[in-house]
Amino acid sequence: MFDFSPTPEQQAVVEKVRRLMDELVYPNEKYVVPHHGLPPEVIKPLQRRVREAGLWAPHMPRAAGGLGMGYVTLGLINEILGRSAIAPRIFNTNAPDTGNAELLWVAGTEEQKARFLKPLMEAEVRSCFAMTEPELSGSDPTALGTTAVLDGDEWVINGHKWFATGAHGAAFAIVMAVTDPDAPPHARASMILVDAGTPGFNLVRDVPVMGDLSEGGHGEFMITNCRVPRENLLGKRGEGFKLAQLRLGPGRITHCMRWLGQAGRAFDLMVARALQRETRGKRLAEFGSIQNFVADSVVEMEAARLMTLKAAWKMDQGDEAREEIALIKFFGAKVMIDVIDRAIQVYGGMGISADTPLEAMWREARAARIYDGPDEVHKYVVARRVFKSYGAALRARAQAD
C-alpha cells in the first residue's frame, strides 16, 4: 500500500541537499556561536548558494517562494538537514520561522504577508511564537491566561509568556491570547502579530535551558497593556487553537525527520568508533553488548523512519494523520535520545567531552520529549483514539448479535 521509494525528482533533490551539506554546512559548524548561530558574514553567502540551487524554504509552496514538493519530500530533506544544527537556518527552514511562515501564508492578509511574511521568506528577519505560559500547563493550549481586549482599533494584550524559541533578536512574535473568554474552550483564543519593541511587550530574559545551539534562545515575555493595531489579528477571531493545530502537524513531521538525521549522525560516529577502538585485545565491534547497540539502533531508526514517512504520505493525501503524528512524536524522540546515548557509551569518557558533537547533541535532544507536547500527551491521544475505535466496533458487534 505504501511505497516510500523516492521518485527520480525526489532523489535528485535529496542528492543535491547532501552535496550542499558536505560543501556548505559541515565545514562551517566550527563558526557557530551558542544561541546566536552563524555570524551574518558566514551565513549570508551560504543562504545565497542554497537559493541559487533551488532548495530555499522547502516547507513552503512554490507560490510563496518555497520548494513545494509535499510532506514526504520535506521529510526526506529534513532527515539530511537534521544532521547539523545550523543546516535549517542555512536552508531557511528553521523553527519557529517555518510554522510562522506557514501560518502567515494560510491565514495572513495581503498586508500581513507583505509586512511579516516577505522579510521572513527573504531571511532578513527571524520570528518567534509565544503560546506557553509559566503559570499554566504548556501541554494544554486551551488553558491560557494571556488576554487581548479590543479597545477601539487596538488590541490591548496582558499576560506572561515563556519558552518562546528564537525570541532574542526576533523582529516579531505571534502571540496566542484569549479574546473570547465566554466562548467554548477551543474558540476562546486568537493569534495576534506583535512587533518587537512594541511598548509593553518586554523580553525579560532568555530562559536558561539544556543545550546551547538554539539561535535566539528561549525567551520570557512580560506583556503589560501592550497595544497593537486591530488589523494585526492573524486569521479570524477565536481561531487560535485551530491555527495552532494547523501549525503543529507539519512541524512534527519536520522535527521527527530531523531527529532521524541526528540519530543517523550519532549512529555513524558509534559504528566508526566501534570498528576503530580496541580494548582487552579486541575491537569494540566484537563485543556482544556493542553489537546489540548497533542492531537495536538500526531497527529503531528504520521503524521511526517508516512511521514518519507514512504520516507524511497520509498528509500528502489530505489526511490530518493525527494518530500517526502523535505516534512518531513520542517514538521518534525516544529513538533519537537512545541512539545518541548508546554512541556516548561506546565513546566512553570522550563521549561526554566536547571533543565529539555527541554530548551537545544529547543535551539538545532531551528537550524533544517535552516541546510540541510532552510524550504523555501524545500517548494519551493515541490510547484515546484506540479505545474509541475499539469501543465503536464492540458496540456494532453487540448490536449485530
Side-chain angles (χ1 to χ4, degrees):
M1 179 180 179
F2 305 107
D3 181 6
F4 301 133
S5 301
T7 65
E9 185 181 16
Q10 288 173 330
Q11 190 61 44
V13 167
V14 166
E15 290 304 321
K16 193 184 292 188
V17 172
R18 283 202 181 101
R19 288 195 298 271
L20 289 176
M21 290 288 288
D22 290 336
E23 182 184 352
L24 305 179
V25 177
Y26 301 129
N28 287 290
E29 288 180 325
K30 59 181 176 288
Y31 299 118
V32 70
V33 179
H35 295 305
H36 294 278
L38 292 173
E41 65 272 16
V42 175
I43 196 171
K44 290 300 181 183
L46 305 181
Q47 291 175 327
R48 186 165 56 249
R49 288 288 307 280
V50 170
R51 296 191 75 153
E52 292 168 354
L55 295 170
W56 189 249
H59 59 291
M60 294 294 283
R62 284 191 174 96
L67 189 61
M69 287 181 62
Y71 292 110
V72 170
T73 304
L74 180 64
L76 295 171
I77 291 172
N78 274 282
E79 183 178 14
I80 302 168
L81 299 184
R83 295 176 67 90
S84 174
I86 65 171
R89 182 80 167 120
I90 293 172
F91 283 73
N92 200 24
T93 183
N94 53 294
D97 292 338
T98 46
N100 290 350
E102 288 163 345
L103 283 177
L104 284 161
W105 178 251
V106 171
T109 64
E110 291 305 312
E111 291 76 15
Q112 289 171 347
K113 289 177 182 177
R115 182 177 169 191
F116 297 102
L117 179 58
K118 187 176 184 295
L120 206 58
M121 286 296 296
E122 296 293 329
E124 294 171 354
V125 302
R126 288 190 298 99
S127 63
C128 66
F129 186 75
M131 180 174 71
T132 306
E133 301 178 358
E135 296 85 5
L136 297 161
S137 170
S139 62
D140 183 3
T142 66
L144 296 174
T146 299
T147 61
V149 177
L150 197 58
D151 181 21
D153 289 330
E154 293 181 319
W155 291 103
V156 183
I157 310 173
N158 284 279
H160 188 190
K161 300 289 187 181
W162 71 344
F163 289 114
T165 301
H168 188 82
F172 67 91
I174 297 178
V175 177
M176 281 269 285
V178 173
T179 52
D180 299 271
D182 297 326
H186 292 87
R188 290 174 184 163
S190 302
M191 291 187 180
I192 300 174
L193 294 153
V194 181
D195 285 296
T198 301
F201 189 64
N202 300 310
L203 177 62
V204 295
R205 64 165 180 155
D206 288 334
V207 181
V209 298
M210 290 174 64
D212 57 10
L213 298 178
S214 178
E215 185 175 1
H218 303 274
E220 180 176 357
F221 288 99
M222 290 300 301
I223 311 173
T224 308
N225 293 327
C226 174
R227 290 180 171 267
V228 300
R230 182 174 190 162
E231 57 267 24
N232 279 28
L233 180 72
L234 181 59
K236 295 179 181 178
R237 182 168 176 164
E239 283 191 341
F241 180 84
K242 178 183 175 180
L243 290 175
Q245 294 304 111
L246 181 71
R247 181 185 192 275
L248 289 172
R252 285 166 183 156
I253 296 288
T254 302
H255 278 318
C256 291
M257 291 304 282
R258 284 183 188 163
W259 297 342
L260 281 169
Q262 283 284 288
R265 189 171 186 183
F267 181 80
D268 291 347
L269 290 167
M270 175 171 63
V271 173
R273 178 71 168 182
L275 288 170
Q276 296 164 1
R277 186 72 165 180
E278 291 189 3
T279 184
R280 293 169 176 82
K282 294 195 299 184
R283 291 181 305 169
L284 290 178
E286 298 177 58
F287 289 90
S289 58
I290 306 302
Q291 292 168 0
N292 286 336
F293 281 176
V294 171
D296 288 343
S297 298
V298 169
V299 73
E300 290 167 6
M301 288 191 298
E302 184 68 7
R305 188 173 195 269
L306 290 173
M307 290 167 64
T308 307
L309 288 174
K310 178 187 174 185
W313 178 85
K314 290 192 75 170
M315 291 183 71
D316 279 340
Q317 312 310 307
D319 194 309
E320 291 184 342
R322 288 191 177 182
E323 184 173 331
E324 288 80 4
I325 288 173
L327 281 168
I328 63 175
K329 173 61 173 65
F330 67 79
F331 184 70
K334 185 177 188 304
V335 169
M336 172 179 60
I337 294 168
D338 286 350
V339 174
I340 296 171
D341 192 73
R342 290 171 192 140
I344 290 173
Q345 198 71 12
V346 170
Y347 270 84
M350 186 178 180
I352 60 172
S353 77
D355 286 353
T356 78
L358 292 169
E359 63 86 22
M361 289 166 65
W362 192 92
R363 286 186 290 119
E364 289 286 329
R366 183 58 184 85
R369 294 187 56 205
I370 296 174
Y371 60 70
D372 279 4
D375 288 358
E376 293 74 16
V377 169
H378 293 287
K379 290 180 180 181
Y380 163 74
V381 169
V382 171
R384 185 179 60 181
R385 292 176 74 91
V386 169
F387 286 132
K388 183 178 180 180
S389 63
Y390 269 73
L394 289 171
R395 287 191 297 272
R397 189 181 305 165
Q399 290 173 359
D401 292 342

